Amino acid sequence: QVQLQESGPGLVKPSQTLSLTCTVSGGSISSGSYYWSWIRQPAGKGLEWVGRSYISGSTNYNPSLKSRVTISVDTSKNQFSLKLSSVTAADTAVYYCARYFWGSFDSWGQGTLVTVSS
Amino acid sequence: EIVLTQSPGTLSLSPGERATLSCRASQSVSSNYLAWYQQKPGQAPRLLIYGASSRATGIPDRFSGSGSGTDFTLTISRLEPEDFAVYYCQQYDSSPLFTFGPGTKVDIK
């Protein structure tokens, strides 16, 4: 069974770039018709899709974040990553990496809290 | 953008009771790309239902999904203690591709 694990700094200063990595284990990131996604959740609030990438490099982003988001896949490391630039306090959230298949997200990481504060 | 509305906001029930959760879309959801997730405090969401009515791997058969077009329902036939959680619906469409409903909290009466 595939497992996903987020990693990265838990504290980012305003205006800087948030960088997270998701490591996939128990399966190859290159196999199957999967997209690799990031979803976030501010404390006590609902879920917001951030974006996704396929192994080919094809990406889709939430229009509300598109100008600041980059998602990429590294097949050699079985990882994918998220970069979110020019962060503000509104970007403080738990960030989840997830695997997308056929309209839904069937595997999720445990989530990592990122706080934007000086 | 398709907006999802979930009702009720909170559902207070006792173990053994039936739970019926509603998810309504502002426009028709294409090809029934509607999913349901369960989230417990401090945990990631877990996929329960995809394609409006198909149970994900390992999901007990007390969970069932139904509906089409703009109206969808998640039913828990008999609540177990571990079912008290927040439930989200999610749709896949053209832009911004994926949106989630605000959630329904099922708590113990």
Side-chain angles (χ1 to χ4, degrees):
Chain A
Q1 175 150 347
V2 70
Q3 293 187 316
L4 291 78
Q5 177 67 58
E6 305 88 352
S7 60
L11 181 64
V12 181
K13 288 182 167 53
S15 79
Q16 293 191 341
T17 296
L18 178 161
S19 296
L20 296 174
T21 297
C22 183
T23 300
V24 179
S25 59
S28 171
I29 202 170
S30 301
S31 66
S33 301
Y34 302 116
Y35 281 79
W36 303 95
S37 295
W38 290 93
I39 295 160
R40 68 181 186 178
Q41 185 174 36
K45 297 188 177 181
L47 298 158
E48 179 182 35
W49 174 71
V50 175
R52 70 175 184 177
S53 180
Y54 191 58
I55 55 171
S56 64
S58 171
T59 55
N60 303 99
Y61 300 128
N62 190 320
S64 69
L65 301 169
K66 187 175 182 177
S67 63
R68 300 193 291 130
V69 175
T70 302
I71 295 175
S72 59
V73 176
D74 186 338
T75 55
S76 67
K77 295 182 178 179
N78 229 36
Q79 295 177 334
F80 62 105
S81 64
L82 167 68
K83 293 188 186 299
L84 180 65
S85 64
S86 305
V87 296
T88 69
D91 296 311
T92 295
V94 174
Y95 284 77
Y96 296 101
C97 59
R99 185 178 77 174
Y100 162 84
F101 180 69
W102 206 72
S104 61
F105 302 98
D106 65 350
S107 295
W108 295 64
Q110 64 184 25
T112 187
L113 173 63
V114 179
T115 301
V116 178
S117 176
S118 55
Chain B
E1 173 184 345
I2 294 181
V3 176
L4 299 177
T5 303
Q6 291 187 243
S7 61
T10 301
L11 193 55
S12 296
L13 295 168
S14 301
E17 289 194 294
R18 182 184 188 90
T20 302
L21 288 66
S22 173
C23 177
R24 180 162 291 178
S26 59
Q27 305 170 47
S28 183
V29 176
S30 58
S31 303
N32 284 340
Y33 280 153
L34 192 288
W36 290 92
Y37 301 84
Q38 175 194 69
Q39 187 177 34
K40 298 179 181 179
Q43 296 184 18
R46 176 175 70 145
L47 177 66
L48 300 175
I49 301 289
Y50 65 93
S53 60
S54 298
R55 270 188 301 277
T57 303
I59 301 304
D61 60 7
R62 63 180 181 273
F63 291 92
S64 64
S66 63
S68 64
T70 59
D71 289 298
F72 299 87
T73 301
L74 174 69
T75 301
I76 311 171
S77 59
R78 290 181 56 182
L79 282 164
E80 297 288 340
E82 62 268 28
D83 298 337
F84 292 92
V86 178
Y87 293 83
Y88 294 96
C89 58
Q90 168 254 311
Q91 65 81 33
Y92 165 56
D93 187 61
S94 56
S95 179
L97 284 189
F98 306 102
T99 54
F100 293 86
T104 290
K105 182 178 182 180
V106 179
D107 65 15
I108 300 176
K109 187 174 182 181

